[in-house]
């Protein structure tokens, strides 16, 4: 049995060693593998997945997906003839492969962000299930190689809401995709646990008395809050329904902070906020679409041929055409992920330094941007306000104030977030958990509880 944090930003796996959870190393990736996938062609994902499925699943899969498999085989032959690699890559290697040739291949970051999206066509849901299954298969194989044995039982973390407030249909859709993918790659028993609840279970192990804990999990794709009644007595129970006093959650997380920072902190260097020769402001819609890497429709619109022609006309009409030419370069070479990744890396660097210079010379010769913490805080006011509302919603639902606030999630490492949380809870102790490992550890504890 394992605890499996299939996260928006990273994936991790835990097993129990005695009374303590241990986060496993996953081959060369270390304990955390970035939730990215790169394929030399989208059509070959289904073939890679077929090759790595358990034998019992291959026959059914082949019968169901014969047309896609044949299409993938043709793509594989063409790639081999052209001398391109034919394997999928994951984690940091997937990002590196994308950055080497961003206009080639198929790259997806944080597919968990899309699973609850409304209006997905059946073929899109099928594609996301294949992508999730491929990532889970890779993690499962690495886990089994580390343990030297198979794993068939798992507890997978889930946000309170995948898409938005009260989005139960979105939640059902996302959970069905995750369940189908997990069972396809060989997990025989699959259960889910709210990510903030799991993080709370890990914190609970150190408590010596009954405590009301507000868990705030600021992850890559969502922020989730749970008010929990915790302590030694509660930890011994298998049914924790009565201890879960409230939940709130929304799709606002690290990805949204990165996108906001890229848009407001970097896009001015691409011509946003500049003027046309007529004296009017440059339209901002294409800038929003360019940075919205977690929105399928916006990205499709941005990379359309019609938008390319629109940007060319804007360049002719602009007072500073050299700036807008950078946005056209992003559009022509499919560099949205490249720019948002630069914002993400800048955000991470600002954890230790108040200022950071970002090199974008691959987009325009000599192009650099200076970022700072104040700019990050200013860019993310909307996201911070949403998190404040979620915390207050959880407190209001519970009808009581927390004795302690337990904070986890990689985004919470930012000094801007730390200062923000201190301002929200000036008279309540704030405990910082393992930013990346608390959820995995708690899922692992819960796996032992329900499967033992």
């Amino acid at each position: 049995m394992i605890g499996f944090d299939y996260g928006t930003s990273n994936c991790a796996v835990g097993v129990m060693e005695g009374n303590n959870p241990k986060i496993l190393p996953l081959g060369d990736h270390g304990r955390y593998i970035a939730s990215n996938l790169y394929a030399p062609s989208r059509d070959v994902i289904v073939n890679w997945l077929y090759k790595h499925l358990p034998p019992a699943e291959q026959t059914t899969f082949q019968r169901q997906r014969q047309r896609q498999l044949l299409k993938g085989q043709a793509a594989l032959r063409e790639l081999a003839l052209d001398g391109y690699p034919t394997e999928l890559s994951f984690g940091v290697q997937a990002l590196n492969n994308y950055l080497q040739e961003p206009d080639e291949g198929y790259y997806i970051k944080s597919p968990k962000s899309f699973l609850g999206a409304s209006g997905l066509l059946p073929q899109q849901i099928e594609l996301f299930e294949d992508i999730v299954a491929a990532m889970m298969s890779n993690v499962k194989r690495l886990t089994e190689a580390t343990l030297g044995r198979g794993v068939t039982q798992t507890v997978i973390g889930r946000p309170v809401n995948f898409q938005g407030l009260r989005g139960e249909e979105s939640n059902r859709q996302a959970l069905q995709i995750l369940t189908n993918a997990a069972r396809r790659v060989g997990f025989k028993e699959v259960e889910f646990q709210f990510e903030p609840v799991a993080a709370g279970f890990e914190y609970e192990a150190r408590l010596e008395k009954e405590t009301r804990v507000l868990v705030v999990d600021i992850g890559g794709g969502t922020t989730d809050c749970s008010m929990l009644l915790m302590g030694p007595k509660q930890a011994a129970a298998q049914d924790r329904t009565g201890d879960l006093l409230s939940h709130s959650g929304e799709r606002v997380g690290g990805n949204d902070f990165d996108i906001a920072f890229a848009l407001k902190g970097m896009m001015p260097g691409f011509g946003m906020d500049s003027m046309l020769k007529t004296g009017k402001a440059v339209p901002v819609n294409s800038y929003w679409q360019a940075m919205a890497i977690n929105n399928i429709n916006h990205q499709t619109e941005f990379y359309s041929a019609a938008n390319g022609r629109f940007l060319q006309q804007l360049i002719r009409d602009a007072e500073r055409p050299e700036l807008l030419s950078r946005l056209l370069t992003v559009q022509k070479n499919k560099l949205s992920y490249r720019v948002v990744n630069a914002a993400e890396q800048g955000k991470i660097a600002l954890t230790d330094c108040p200022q950071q210079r970002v090199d974008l010379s691959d987009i325009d010769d000599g192009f650099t941007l200076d970022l700072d913490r104040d700019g990050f805080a200013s860019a993310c006011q909307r996201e911070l306000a949403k998190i404040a509302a979620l915390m207050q919603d959880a407190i209001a639902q519970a009808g009581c104030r927390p004795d302690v606030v337990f904070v986890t999630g990689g985004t919470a490492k930012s000094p801007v977030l730390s200062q923000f949380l201190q301002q929200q809870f000036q008279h309540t102790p704030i405990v910082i958990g393992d930013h990346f490992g608390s959820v995995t550890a708690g899922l692992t504890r819960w796996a032992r509880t329900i499967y033992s």
Side-chain angles (χ1 to χ4, degrees), residues 89-381:
S89 54
F90 304 88
V92 174
Q93 188 58 51
L95 175 62
N96 291 340
N97 288 344
Y98 159 72
L99 292 177
Q100 286 174 12
E101 294 186 278
D103 56 342
E104 299 289 340
Y106 180 78
Y107 175 73
I108 187 163
K109 171 187 167 86
S110 309
K112 186 178 175 183
S113 297
F114 301 95
L115 303 186
S118 60
L120 291 182
L121 300 174
Q123 57 266 36
Q124 290 175 309
I125 292 177
E126 189 175 74
L127 173 63
F128 282 126
E129 190 174 305
D130 289 344
I131 290 168
V132 173
M135 295 173 70
M136 285 186 171
S137 174
N138 181 59
V139 171
K140 187 173 186 288
R141 290 184 303 110
L142 292 169
T143 299
E144 292 174 338
T146 298
L147 294 174
R149 62 177 185 272
V151 291
T152 59
Q153 298 171 314
T154 185
V155 174
I156 300 174
R158 57 154 292 185
V160 175
N161 288 302
F162 282 85
Q163 196 69 16
L165 293 172
R166 296 175 292 280
E168 282 308 310
E169 184 57 40
S170 292
N171 291 338
R172 283 191 291 271
Q173 174 180 289
L175 290 174
Q176 192 62 60
I177 292 172
L178 290 169
T179 301
N180 291 347
R183 288 182 173 156
R184 176 174 289 171
V185 303
F187 288 111
K188 300 189 184 313
E189 295 182 70
V190 181
E191 297 290 341
F192 294 91
Q193 181 57 270
F194 289 128
E195 288 156 353
V197 174
F201 289 154
E202 177 59 13
Y203 175 64
E204 184 177 49
R206 71 181 82 168
L207 291 176
E208 298 179 351
K209 64 178 183 179
E210 185 173 286
T211 307
R212 292 188 301 270
V213 182
L214 176 64
V215 181
V216 181
D217 178 14
I218 309 175
T222 58
T223 292
D224 296 299
C225 304
S226 291
M227 184 77 86
L228 306 164
L229 189 63
M230 310 200 103
K233 176 183 175 182
Q234 287 79 9
Q238 187 166 13
D239 183 2
R240 300 299 300 271
T241 306
D243 300 332
L244 310 182
L245 306 181
S246 67
H247 297 302
S248 67
E250 191 173 352
R251 186 177 142 174
V252 52
N255 286 352
D256 301 280
F257 282 87
D258 299 338
I259 290 168
F261 199 21
L263 181 68
K264 298 173 185 176
M266 299 174 67
M267 283 296 100
F270 292 77
M272 192 173 81
D273 300 332
S274 64
M275 305 299 290
L276 300 175
K277 294 173 184 175
T278 60
K280 295 181 179 180
V282 169
V284 299
N285 195 46
S286 289
Y287 294 96
W288 284 94
Q289 292 173 343
M291 296 299 95
I293 61 170
N294 57 357
N295 188 300
I296 298 170
N297 294 329
H298 284 347
Q299 288 281 278
T300 301
E301 286 290 327
F302 178 68
Y303 287 122
S304 68
N307 191 50
R309 293 190 293 271
F310 173 70
L311 293 179
Q312 289 172 343
Q313 182 61 52
L314 276 185
I315 291 170
R316 289 192 288 269
D317 296 339
E319 281 189 351
R320 299 196 62 187
E322 73 281 4
L323 298 184
L324 276 81
S325 293
R326 294 168 177 171
L327 184 63
L328 183 61
T329 298
V330 172
Q331 198 267 351
K332 284 183 174 180
N333 297 292
K334 298 182 179 179
L335 293 173
S336 289
Y337 279 109
R338 161 73 179 97
V339 178
V340 175
N341 180 67
E344 179 186 12
Q345 297 308 311
K347 175 193 73 176
I348 293 170
L350 291 173
T351 300
D352 299 317
C353 302
Q355 294 181 315
Q356 178 68 20
R357 175 163 290 183
V358 174
D359 183 0
L360 297 169
S361 55
D362 56 325
I363 294 175
D364 189 9
D365 189 38
F367 181 27
T368 62
L369 288 170
D370 291 321
L371 305 176
D372 58 49
R373 286 180 188 168
D374 289 341
F376 176 64
S378 176
C380 300
Q381 286 301 306

Side-chain angles (χ1 to χ4, degrees), residues 62-81:
Q62 185 177 36
R63 184 175 64 253
Q64 294 174 341
R65 311 295 291 280
Q66 187 172 15
R67 185 177 65 83
Q68 291 98 324
L69 286 167
L70 290 172
K71 189 175 181 182
Q73 287 171 4
L76 286 169
R77 286 193 295 270
E78 186 174 336
L79 287 165
L81 286 172

